[in-house]
Amino acid sequence: MKLLHQLRGFFRKDTLDREMSEEMRLHLDEQTAANVAAGMNLDEARFAALRKFGGVEQIKEQARDQRGIPWLETLWRDVRFSGRSLRRSPAFSTAVVATLALCIGANTSIFSVLYGLVLKPLPFPHSEQIVDVYNLRPKAGEMHTTVSPAQYADYKANADLFDGFALWFGWMFNIGEDGGTSRYVGMQVTYDYFSVLGLQPLLGRFFTPDDAVPGKDQVVVLTQSFWEKKFNADPAIIGKELRLSGQVFTVVGVVPRRFEELSVAPLLMKPIAWRPDDLNPQNHLRRAGDMTARIKPGVSHRAALAQLDTLEKRYFDTLATPEVRTYLTNGGHRMGLVQLREGATEKIRSGLLLLQAGALLVLLLGCVNVASLMLARANARYAEFAVRTTLGAGRGALARQLLTEAALLAGAGAALGLAMTAASLKVINVYTDKIIYGIPPVKLDAGVLGATLLIVFGVALLIGLLPVLRIWRMGSLNQAMQGGTRGASRGGGVRAMSGVLVVAQVALALMLLIGAGLLMRSFANVMAINPGFDPRHVIHARVAYDARFKDDAAFRALQNRLLEKVRQIPGVDSVAYSDRMPGFGENVTMALPIKGRTVSDESMAPTAIVFGASPEYFGTMGIRLIEGRPFTAADQVSGMPMTLIVDRKFAERYFPGESAVGHQFLFGPGTTDPSKPLPTIVGVVEVARVSGLENPEGLPYVYFSVSFSRGGLSMELRTKRSFNEIMPLIRAAVREVDPALPIYQERTMQMQLDDAAANRRGILWLLGAFAGIALILSAVGIYGMLAYDVTQRTKEIGIRGAIGATREQIVMLILKQGLLKAGLGLALGLAGALALSRFLEKLLYEVKPTDPLVFGGVALLLLLVALFASWLPARRAANVDPLVALRHE
């Protein structure tokens, strides 16, 4: 109660003062009236009442002490005084707040992304026990491939170090009626998928083993966001029917929003219904989907992985055919295991850690810059502190005042920085979705906000510490009242401290600039790679089919009508089609044993990405034919021998020094029926990097001729018309054929390459921005240090000029001072950059971490900046009039 009374007294001080004055006045008036009634005149009565009542102001002060909180009032007084002091120096305050806002905003933004995508634990029970399981064949270039239903059944029955296994894969479906049909993303999951994650339904139920039977699998579970958006969170949704891709499904449950922390892409899930052949152990290598598993408590990831490898070895020894054993041995087959979602974020982890390190360097650089400004400001207020000391203020009060100013500046910078973070996260989320499809948007987490507040506290302490130390270490403040301070040179300690700060600024800036320079050279090398095709005028669009089309004849007729309509669009030069979008999603890899060829080198296993394309594909995409012939219409005729086209990488890898054309593969009907021909290579084309310009050592491509597709039609169009101009015409053409067919995955191939480079480009831009900020801060730091030094040494410079020093000598004096500190900073920065550049190696492409061109160029750039920043104060010093300087106080 006492504390509440004190707080009430603090926040209602003016009101309580008025009430207290009024109460005292009433008491005095009553006593005065009593004295008059006793026979005194009015003046005597008033004086007698005052003598009896005592000192009014003393009583008021005692009352204020009882009702208030002295330390809080002192703090409030310091805050108000600091606010007024900072308002009188708008340029200084603006520079400090802007610097801190940039530094704190950059760190909060990057750490929000790092925490949200990499460090934040998933909201599932004991999420550290949930892992992704995958096949790994590094010698064949297959670093992360899907798992088969037979493996799922084997592990579920025999891997006793796990609490459960589940399999899932993506599923596309249509929603809508004629003219308003859209394509959406869903998932097909095994019935035990949600139990492995440890989730309970928000509404209804999840799948059961009875749902995993063909004919009984027409049930779906909705995500909470889709349920709220599409069905207005209707609790009666359970049991209702949905029409998806022409089929009727029944809603049985809603999964809580926590599930969407994995991915926001799927809107609903349906069960996987296995057929007996799917689980046949002989189909151990038939790829189906991604596997998620939960390890038992207390079991290490290493032990769990060892058990999976043991089960794979048992299959290898007892069930695998000799051909499969050769394939597995040549590929270096083993199982892989990684914590849930860790594999998806692996490609951005190192980049985010690098950016976080860069942001921390910028924060440190900003703090050094601001501390230098605070030190200069404190030194300029030397006389003010002396006056305040003379009037009774102690050094503790002065130090508290400086720390309060630092806290106000840091708080204002943090507020502005958080506003910048909120804006930057909107932009960052656009790029993260391009880098990792379906990744949940990054938000400003409460934990990140708490870390930001700790950073602000540390920044306030750091930038206020040097001025406070200066106050405590300086001599008698009263000496500042004698002789003036403006004409005196600064003490050696202050100048040395300021010089150390400048050296630190230059060193930190150099390390950031070298990092940005290495990435810039690497990015230039990537952009200079020949993609092997012409992406500028090629547009891809995919048309989704539905359950109305059931036989091959219907698919062929629909495809022919669609292609004919699109070819009639003005400005379309050529149209091709393929079995899927080039470079999109997981590649289909396949072992391709070559007739008459025995693989002796295990690292040269004949494995490639197989891709179905029409005869017009290579011409439309601009992929150059190197040898042989392209596909023709005859290759698409049913019953004709299978023809294949390989890319240059495949030909050079598996047919060194000879032609690949005419060689045959040992798969297909010809391997069991000698009367039927084997698949034959008829041509070699240039390597087309449709998945991105990097990774030139990846798997080669083998193309087969595709006549039609049952799941949908992927079209590639060559046109000189813009994307925004041609896409409405394509949609109109498709609607003419069938209004119920949606178009999706529409984009230019240049967009595809740009998205593939989004991770590298984003890291480059952000680190480049940090380096730019560092360059500006270091230049400002050098300029500020020398400019302030010139101001403080006005009298000394005047004396030098009066005794004969020339302008050139004065300029060289100041330049030497600035360049000496810059040179020392460059030396320290080069040493730091050499030590840290090795951490960049994974992000560099054909650039050495110690590239001399980058190191030398960046050092020269920073030296020129330091020279310019030193020349401006030097020129100002040379223009000092000796007569004016000698009279200067």
Side-chain angles (χ1 to χ4, degrees):
M1 292 298 294
K2 181 179 180 181
L3 179 61
L4 291 177
H5 177 72
Q6 289 176 327
L7 289 173
R8 179 174 175 269
F10 175 76
F11 290 108
R12 298 184 64 234
K13 181 168 59 177
D14 293 339
T15 301
L16 293 177
D17 278 348
R18 288 194 299 270
E19 292 175 355
M20 182 172 59
S21 298
E22 180 64 19
E23 184 178 356
M24 288 185 175
R25 186 186 63 78
L26 289 175
H27 283 297
L28 287 174
D29 288 346
E30 289 178 0
Q31 186 62 45
T32 300
N35 290 340
V36 171
M40 296 183 184
N41 61 42
L42 185 60
D43 291 338
E44 291 177 349
R46 185 69 177 177
F47 288 135
L50 288 172
R51 286 195 301 272
K52 184 176 180 180
F53 197 82
V56 174
E57 293 304 321
Q58 290 87 342
I59 294 174
K60 287 183 178 181
E61 288 299 325
Q62 292 174 4
R64 291 190 186 105
D65 290 341
Q66 290 294 322
R67 77 184 184 208
I69 305 177
W71 66 265
L72 186 59
E73 293 181 356
T74 301
L75 176 62
W76 178 240
R77 185 168 58 249
D78 288 341
V79 169
R80 287 185 298 168
F81 182 86
S82 298
R84 290 195 300 268
S85 176
L86 293 174
R87 282 199 303 271
R88 287 194 297 268
S89 305
F92 166 82
S93 302
T94 301
V96 171
V97 170
T99 300
L100 294 179
L102 282 172
C103 299
I104 293 174
N107 274 271
T108 307
S109 298
I110 300 302
F111 187 64
S112 294
V113 178
L114 180 63
Y115 179 76
L117 301 185
V118 177
L119 303 178
K120 183 180 179 181
L122 289 168
F124 306 135
H126 304 288
S127 61
E128 72 282 355
Q129 299 170 0
I130 310 175
V131 295
D132 286 326
V133 178
Y134 54 91
N135 287 302
L136 188 65
R137 302 181 187 98
K139 294 180 181 179
E142 300 178 2
M143 302 306 296
H144 191 134
T145 60
T146 52
V147 179
S148 70
Q151 286 177 297
Y152 162 74
D154 185 17
Y155 298 163
K156 195 171 178 65
N158 300 299
D160 57 4
L161 296 182
F162 292 80
D163 273 335
F165 293 88
L167 210 61
W168 65 272
F169 50 84
W171 170 50
M172 303 290 290
F173 58 90
N174 305 339
I175 294 182
E177 302 299 332
D178 291 359
T181 307
S182 299
R183 191 72 165 169
Y184 295 98
V185 176
M187 292 174 64
Q188 291 194 49
V189 302
T190 53
Y191 70 89
D192 43 13
Y193 179 71
F194 296 110
S195 64
V196 169
L197 294 180
L199 293 175
Q200 296 296 322
L202 183 68
L203 287 178
R205 65 173 177 84
F206 290 146
F207 304 131
T208 66
D210 293 337
D211 297 320
V213 177
K216 297 182 179 180
D217 59 340
Q218 304 298 100
V219 294
V220 292
V221 169
L222 311 180
T223 62
Q224 183 175 348
S225 293
F226 184 59
W227 170 59
E228 291 172 348
K229 183 177 180 180
K230 184 72 175 178
F231 304 101
N232 298 316
D234 181 9
I237 189 64
I238 305 301
K240 289 188 176 181
E241 294 183 343
L242 297 179
R243 191 170 187 83
L244 309 174
S245 299
Q247 294 180 302
V248 177
F249 290 79
T250 302
V251 178
V252 298
V254 176
V255 65
R257 202 182 314 277
R258 285 184 298 158
F259 169 75
E260 298 169 47
E261 289 294 320
L262 274 177
S263 175
V264 295
L267 304 182
L268 50 80
M269 282 67 65
K270 65 169 288 191
I272 298 176
W274 300 122
R275 290 170 174 79
D277 188 56
D278 293 330
L279 303 178
N280 188 333
Q282 294 301 324
N283 294 324
H284 195 82
L285 299 182
R286 181 184 294 175
R287 297 173 183 173
D290 294 275
M291 179 177 284
T292 301
R294 179 179 284 274
I295 302 174
K296 285 185 176 180
V299 177
S300 69
H301 285 198
R302 178 177 295 180
L305 180 59
Q307 185 175 59
L308 297 183
D309 282 329
T310 299
L311 292 175
E312 287 299 299
K313 188 176 186 305
R314 186 181 70 175
Y315 161 76
F316 182 91
D317 293 336
T318 61
L319 296 174
T321 64
E323 294 80 9
V324 170
R325 291 179 188 175
T326 300
Y327 169 69
L328 295 177
T329 301
N330 290 342
H333 174 76
R334 65 178 188 271
M335 298 307 296
L337 182 150
V338 67
Q339 194 162 330
L340 185 63
R341 209 178 74 174
E342 187 174 316
T345 60
E346 184 178 1
K347 61 182 179 181
I348 65 172
R349 187 189 313 272
S350 56
L352 287 176
L353 291 173
L354 170 66
L355 289 175
Q356 186 61 69
L360 288 174
L361 284 177
V362 169
L363 177 63
L364 183 58
L365 183 57
C367 291
V368 169
N369 191 284
V370 172
S372 180
L373 292 175
M374 293 285 288
L375 183 62
R377 173 177 164 81
N379 202 64
R381 297 170 66 187
Y382 198 83
E384 173 196 337
F385 294 149
V387 171
R388 293 177 62 186
T389 301
T390 302
L391 296 176
R395 296 192 181 187
L398 299 180
R400 190 180 65 239
Q401 189 70 59
L402 290 173
L403 288 174
T404 302
E405 287 186 9
L408 286 179
L409 292 170
L416 185 57
L418 289 175
M420 294 171 60
T421 297
S424 64
L425 287 181
K426 295 180 180 179
V427 179
I428 290 173
N429 281 325
V430 174
Y431 286 95
T432 54
D433 185 61
K434 291 181 179 180
I435 298 169
I436 305 176
Y437 177 69
I439 199 74
V442 178
K443 300 177 181 178
L444 186 59
D445 188 85
V448 175
L449 186 59
T452 301
L453 295 178
L454 288 177
I455 289 175
V456 171
F457 176 78
V459 167
L461 188 63
L462 180 61
I463 66 177
L465 190 59
L466 287 179
V468 168
L469 292 177
R470 173 63 178 153
I471 291 296
W472 283 97
R473 294 182 60 187
M474 65 176 51
S476 174
L477 286 167
N478 291 328
Q479 294 177 0
M481 303 295 293
Q482 304 172 5
T485 59
R486 292 183 56 85
S489 296
R490 286 187 301 173
V494 176
R495 294 177 62 184
M497 192 179 298
S498 182
V500 168
L501 293 177
V502 169
V503 169
Q505 286 176 326
V506 173
L508 293 173
L510 183 68
M511 287 189 285
L512 275 172
L513 284 167
I514 286 177
L518 290 171
L519 289 177
M520 190 175 297
R521 280 210 69 192
S522 182
F523 186 75
N525 290 341
V526 170
M527 291 296 103
I529 296 174
N530 180 8
F533 70 104
D534 184 4
R536 295 169 296 174
H537 303 299
V538 178
I539 295 175
H540 174 275
R542 183 169 174 84
V543 181
Y545 300 160
D546 57 34
R548 293 175 298 146
F549 304 91
K550 301 183 182 300
D551 55 54
D552 291 355
F555 286 123
R556 288 179 187 273
L558 175 61
Q559 175 176 294
N560 291 337
R561 292 200 305 271
L562 288 169
L563 292 172
E564 185 60 30
K565 276 292 182 184
V566 173
R567 289 190 183 104
Q568 294 173 4
I569 297 175
V572 174
D573 298 328
S574 63
V575 180
Y577 57 93
S578 55
D579 65 345
R580 63 187 185 277
M581 180 177 178
F584 184 83
E586 183 179 2
N587 292 317
V588 178
T589 59
M590 183 175 176
L592 300 167
I594 302 169
K595 181 181 178 182
R597 185 72 58 86
T598 300
V599 179
S600 57
D601 185 354
E602 294 182 0
S603 66
M604 299 292 286
T607 304
I609 298 169
V610 293
F611 187 84
S614 70
E616 306 87 356
Y617 179 79
F618 301 107
T620 300
M621 291 286 290
I623 302 175
R624 183 171 63 91
L625 180 68
I626 298 175
E627 184 183 4
R629 66 171 179 86
F631 293 132
T632 65
D635 297 317
Q636 298 179 303
V637 177
S638 178
M640 292 296 290
M642 185 177 186
T643 55
L644 301 171
I645 294 177
V646 302
D647 68 8
R648 177 175 51 81
K649 184 185 296 183
F650 188 94
E652 292 175 350
R653 179 176 296 182
Y654 300 114
F655 304 99
E658 61 176 312
S659 173
V661 175
H663 283 274
Q664 296 178 313
F665 292 107
L666 293 173
F667 67 90
T671 57
T672 57
D673 186 354
S675 65
K676 295 184 179 181
L678 293 169
T680 304
I681 299 174
V682 299
V684 179
V685 296
E686 185 55 79
V687 177
R689 294 183 170 91
V690 291
S691 299
L693 297 177
E694 295 186 70
N695 193 22
E697 299 304 321
L699 286 177
Y701 268 72
V702 171
Y703 302 90
F704 63 92
S705 178
V706 59
S707 58
F708 70 95
S709 175
R710 293 179 177 85
L713 176 63
S714 283
M715 297 181 292
E716 290 80 33
L717 300 84
R718 174 163 291 280
T719 177
K720 292 183 180 179
R721 301 180 71 172
S722 68
F723 177 78
N724 293 331
E725 183 182 4
I726 201 73
M727 278 311 302
L729 301 179
I730 297 174
R731 294 190 182 96
V734 173
R735 282 196 300 269
E736 284 188 45
V737 175
D738 191 329
L741 300 181
I743 296 180
Y744 65 108
Q745 290 182 355
E746 60 269 29
R747 53 176 28 198
T748 67
M749 294 308 299
Q750 187 61 57
M751 292 178 185
Q752 175 87 345
L753 295 184
D754 290 342
D755 287 352
N759 184 30
R760 181 178 291 279
R761 183 181 289 106
I763 294 173
L764 172 63
W765 279 108
L766 288 174
L767 193 63
F770 295 162
I773 294 171
L775 184 64
I776 294 172
L777 290 178
S778 59
V780 170
I782 295 172
Y783 170 80
M785 181 270 295
L786 293 178
Y788 188 73
D789 192 59
V790 167
T791 302
Q792 295 297 300
R793 298 172 67 186
T794 300
K795 187 173 182 179
E796 173 193 336
I797 293 171
I799 293 173
R800 288 176 180 272
I803 61 176
T806 64
R807 295 185 56 177
E808 289 75 14
Q809 290 174 326
I810 294 175
V811 168
M812 289 305 299
L813 174 69
I814 304 301
L815 282 179
K816 181 180 178 182
Q817 182 181 347
L819 292 179
L820 182 63
K821 293 177 175 59
L824 183 57
L826 288 176
L828 294 175
L830 286 172
L834 284 171
L836 297 176
S837 60
R838 57 191 177 91
F839 295 106
L840 283 173
E841 193 165 1
K842 289 184 179 180
L843 297 172
L844 300 180
Y845 181 80
E846 294 188 354
V847 176
K848 293 182 179 180
T850 56
D851 185 70
L853 182 62
V854 172
F855 274 69
V858 168
L860 180 61
L861 171 65
L862 198 52
L863 188 62
L864 291 176
V865 170
L867 179 63
F868 180 73
S870 304
W871 177 74
L872 293 175
R875 188 184 64 170
R876 178 181 173 187
N879 292 329
V880 171
D881 188 336
L883 295 179
V884 175
L886 291 175
R887 294 197 301 267
H888 183 69
E889 284 293 341

